[in-house]
Amino acid sequence: MRLQRRFPPAASRGAHLFWASRRFISVSVAAVLVTATLVAIFARWTPQTRATPQAPAQPAYATTVSGTAYGADHTRMLSAATAAQWPQQQAIWCGVATVAAIAQYQQVTTATQQQVADYLSSDTAVSAWGTPAPATGYYGPAFKADISRDFGTDPRSLAAALTADINQPYHQAIVLATGYDASVALARDIVSSGQPVSVFVDHALHSVVVSAVFATSDPVANPGSITGFEVWDPAWNDPNTGIQSAEYEDVPLNTWLTSSLYWGQPYNVNTINGFTYDPDPAVGPYAFDTSTLPHQSHLWSGHYVYIRPDAAGSAMAGVSADWAENQSGELIKGWDNQIPSGYTGPTSLFEGLKVTLGETSPYALAFSARGSYDAAAAGSAPAAALAWTGTDTSHHLNTLISQDGLHYGSKLTLSDTSILNPAILVAPPAVAGGPNIVMIAWIGTDTGHSLNVMYDVYGQRLKLTLWHNSSALAPSLAWYQGQAWLAWTGTDAHHSLNIIALGPQGMTQGSQTILWTDPGASSSPQLIADTANNRMLLGWAQLTSKQYMVMASSDNSAWSQPATGQLNATSSSSPGLLAVLTPPAGAAPLYLAWTTPWGQLYLWRGSETQGWTEVQATQELSPYGTEMGYLGQSGERGDFVLAWSGTDSAHHLNVALIQM
């Protein structure tokens, strides 16, 4: 992001040598970085029908990247950089220089680096949330327009400067997904706007201008055709500050995605020698605060950030540059659900604080929170629970409980073992005023792989074995109309779906329904209570097509397609379904998480009136399915929890807050 000064003003020659060495090492590592992740990225590209492309700006020089340049005109960009008096004129002015050049490109002839810097230092540029006071361990804020204690310009200040200079709305675009997804979004915005864009690179230590995307066909209609970007470095003449040896370079996509000098790494806080150069906001609704859970979320750090010109008619066009949006132009709400006054546009699902537990499992993770189906459950304990099959030789079952969905304790390792991941359920207390009950269900290691249920794991541990029922896939548990329900995929040739009532203690087998779906299920089903609509929802992936299916029933006697309709999504893993009884204002009642064939987790939201809508990809990867739960609303905030097993070699368990 900026900030160009890579060391304090009084830095010694040794510091200069350190940075020069760091730069050399970064380039060397990037040059040899060929990873399985990149292979997976390219494998996921599938051709799409080519739409009529935007009129491409042909490069006025010999490009080293294949394809046509789409976006801003190269010759005009060269003139704009000259008019903006490039290179950057001060060590911390990389962001300033990008604003001046973009403004000049937009024919704002009064835009100079000094003019931009003067504006950012003025009272006029100050955010409605103020400027943070200096604090120990930070060099900034360098400008009054910053909302963080940044060493130079932060994303908010650049958005404000561009908005003021060009008289067009700009916002911080926070891409809540992978570097590849971020690159596709960046390419789309460059092509659709026809403008150069200010981008934070080098894990937030620098800002550059990206003026064009190279592609062998229309990069918007066919992202798989993207081959690289045209990148302008305002500090190309300074090896300790810049990242390129020339003012502009054609950067191949491979280099862009793997080199830490570009988007091989996301935005980072960059704490060096005890000083933090690029912190998250310190004032306003996005302020980072380690003392309370929702405010421990990072707005910028861990994501890919650029300054996005809003299209005419965008819901964000009338919103102050203080506010941030995701890659789809949806508002990112404040950590306590704040939104701008009068805003009625879409809001983003935002992944907040993430915790990677020390526990590992060879299978998927099971998660449950009572707040999703019981509005009165907020604050009751335990609020949430995890279950997993251990990596020990016998694969014993394990559980943990939590009150906030992120921090867990009271681990239990049961004597029971399983061949797959279990299911878990946080049920209402057996006695009024007592603790919530934790139930689990699993497939046994007996020769018949019988289904088992345990009621009150942290108390009586009552156990039921359904000897005549077995499954080759993990089961699912739900609480509906005062009793527990169990769902599983049968071992018959149809891979039928089975749902059975188990009574208030999970020990009494009631009516069983068999859904003879053909071609059947390829994954474990997900059974949840949709209390607001007095029904249960059952989700699964079909055996051959891998298409997600969702069915609904009010009594388990008849199942039918809900008004939400089916999803246009496929996966071989179990979906994570969530129905929220009383969602916060503006939030959807239904959510779904699914895992792509390459392991990336995607989030959807749904309603009876609007159906299912894909919201965004996350940065998270898992070899299995995922689960979700809701702990209830606290004040203005309502977050659900996403739980999954990671793709690291040990498959550590992960949980993260997702802001609705």
Side-chain angles (χ1 to χ4, degrees):
M1 81 107 293
R2 48 321 226 26
L3 333 206
Q4 285 0 4
R5 213 176 307 156
R6 302 308 180 85
F7 35 79
S12 65
R13 177 172 177 79
H16 284 265
L17 292 174
F18 165 78
W19 282 110
S21 299
R22 182 195 71 81
R23 202 50 96 192
F24 173 77
I25 292 171
S26 297
V27 174
S28 299
V29 171
V32 299
L33 216 152
V34 180
T35 65
T37 301
L38 187 62
V39 173
I41 287 172
F42 285 103
R44 63 180 283 195
W45 293 344
T46 55
Q48 303 178 34
T49 302
R50 179 175 178 177
T52 302
Q54 303 288 327
Q58 298 292 342
Y61 57 94
T63 175
T64 57
V65 177
S66 63
T68 298
Y70 293 75
D73 179 81
H74 174 80
T75 302
R76 183 173 160 187
M77 181 62 211
L78 187 61
S79 297
T82 301
Q85 301 171 326
W86 277 31
Q88 64 191 65
Q89 296 170 357
Q90 290 193 25
I92 62 171
W93 279 15
C94 68
V96 168
T98 67
V99 171
I102 294 170
Q104 285 285 349
Y105 186 91
Q106 295 295 84
Q107 300 180 343
V108 181
T109 57
T110 57
T112 65
Q113 293 183 50
Q114 187 63 59
Q115 176 268 323
V116 174
D118 289 345
Y119 170 76
L120 293 173
S121 300
S122 70
D123 292 340
T124 305
V126 175
S127 164
W129 309 321
T131 304
T136 302
Y138 301 89
Y139 283 113
F143 294 95
K144 289 184 178 180
D146 289 343
I147 58 172
S148 69
R149 298 184 177 92
D150 197 287
F151 190 57
T153 47
D154 65 19
R156 184 272 163 187
S157 63
L158 293 192
L162 283 165
T163 299
D165 258 10
I166 302 176
N167 194 28
Q168 175 184 340
Y170 283 78
H171 287 94
Q172 313 154 57
I174 317 297
V175 183
L176 314 175
T178 65
Y180 169 76
D181 296 291
S183 300
V184 170
L186 174 62
R188 176 204 61 210
D189 287 337
I190 290 171
V191 174
S192 62
S193 69
Q195 297 183 29
V197 173
S198 181
V199 180
F200 292 92
V201 295
D202 196 14
H203 48 90
L205 285 173
H206 198 37
S207 287
V208 297
V209 172
V210 179
S211 62
V213 51
F214 290 99
T216 56
S217 67
D218 180 5
V220 176
N222 183 11
S225 70
I226 296 173
T227 57
F229 293 96
E230 181 178 276
V231 181
W232 298 72
D233 181 1
W236 82 93
N237 63 325
D238 184 350
N240 293 319
T241 297
I243 62 172
Q244 297 181 170
S245 59
E247 183 176 26
Y248 57 85
E249 292 186 7
D250 302 336
V251 180
L253 184 61
N254 180 33
T255 302
W256 177 262
L257 291 173
T258 60
S259 171
S260 64
L261 300 182
Y262 297 105
W263 272 3
Q265 290 185 30
Y267 200 105
N268 200 296
V269 296
N270 296 312
T271 299
I272 303 167
N273 296 329
F275 285 87
T276 299
Y277 285 70
D278 306 283
D280 276 286
V283 294
Y286 301 126
F288 179 77
D289 182 356
T290 58
S291 66
T292 58
L293 257 187
H295 307 112
Q296 294 179 25
S297 301
H298 297 278
L299 177 65
W300 303 322
S301 182
H303 304 127
Y304 297 88
V305 183
Y306 60 97
I307 310 304
R308 185 174 187 261
D310 288 295
S314 164
M316 289 291 291
V319 174
S320 162
D322 293 341
W323 296 88
E325 61 190 30
N326 72 354
Q327 62 269 29
S328 300
E330 299 174 323
L331 173 78
I332 298 173
K333 294 185 290 187
W335 303 150
D336 289 316
N337 263 26
Q338 301 98 321
I339 62 173
S341 177
Y343 181 78
T344 58
T347 57
S348 167
L349 290 182
F350 188 89
E351 180 182 333
L353 190 64
K354 170 186 170 182
V355 173
T356 298
L357 305 177
E359 308 296 342
T360 61
S361 178
Y363 309 117
L365 173 61
F367 176 79
S368 175
R370 183 182 162 199
S372 60
Y373 63 87
D374 186 350
S380 57
L386 296 173
W388 70 98
T389 302
T391 53
D392 58 292
T393 305
S394 299
H395 298 307
H396 285 87
L397 297 172
N398 301 266
T399 63
L400 283 169
I401 53 178
S402 172
Q403 196 55 25
D404 60 20
L406 286 176
H407 303 95
Y408 290 83
S410 301
K411 178 181 177 181
L412 285 179
T413 298
L414 303 175
S415 59
D416 298 279
T417 59
S418 180
I419 61 170
L420 281 172
N421 50 295
I424 195 165
L425 174 68
V426 178
V431 179
N436 287 334
I437 299 297
V438 176
M439 299 176 61
I440 61 171
W442 70 97
I443 300 168
T445 52
D446 58 295
T447 55
H449 298 310
S450 302
L451 286 162
N452 299 270
V453 177
M454 181 179 288
Y455 175 82
D456 196 7
V457 173
Y458 285 84
Q460 304 174 71
R461 297 189 187 175
L462 304 178
K463 182 178 176 181
L464 170 70
T465 299
L466 287 71
W467 294 109
H468 300 295
N469 293 284
S470 62
S471 177
L473 298 169
S476 180
L477 281 170
W479 185 268
Y480 177 67
Q481 292 187 338
Q483 65 177 326
W485 297 76
L486 179 70
W488 70 95
T489 302
T491 55
D492 57 279
H494 291 273
H495 292 269
S496 60
L497 292 162
N498 299 259
I499 307 97
I500 189 172
L502 294 176
Q505 291 190 329
M507 297 291 106
T508 304
Q509 297 184 51
S511 59
Q512 179 177 347
T513 295
I514 302 176
L515 300 180
W516 296 100
T517 63
D518 206 355
S522 68
S523 66
S524 303
Q526 182 78 32
L527 183 67
I528 63 168
D530 182 6
T531 310
N533 293 294
N534 190 34
R535 64 185 181 182
M536 291 184 289
L537 294 177
L538 182 70
W540 74 96
Q542 283 191 327
L543 183 62
T544 53
S545 68
K546 312 302 181 187
Q547 178 72 37
Y548 269 149
M549 304 295 294
V550 178
M551 301 289 279
S553 177
S554 61
D555 56 7
N556 195 34
S557 63
W559 289 82
S560 61
Q561 180 175 307
T564 50
Q566 299 303 333
L567 296 88
N568 184 25
T570 59
S571 176
S572 57
S573 301
S574 177
L577 269 174
L578 173 64
V580 180
L581 177 57
T582 54
L590 300 175
Y591 295 89
L592 181 140
W594 61 284
T595 308
T596 66
W598 53 90
Q600 191 172 2
L601 299 183
Y602 274 71
L603 297 175
W604 293 60
R605 56 185 164 211
S607 70
E608 295 296 291
T609 57
Q610 298 181 351
W612 291 101
T613 303
E614 179 181 329
V615 181
Q616 66 200 39
T618 73
Q619 294 173 301
E620 309 304 343
L621 298 172
S622 177
Y624 316 113
T626 185
E627 292 205 28
M628 295 186 288
Y630 181 62
L631 276 69
Q633 189 169 342
S634 175
E636 294 300 318
R637 182 175 63 89
D639 296 322
F640 65 79
V641 178
L642 187 69
W644 70 97
S645 296
T647 54
D648 58 293
S649 58
H651 299 309
H652 281 85
L653 310 183
N654 298 269
V655 288
L657 286 180
I658 305 293
Q659 180 195 61
M660 293 178 172

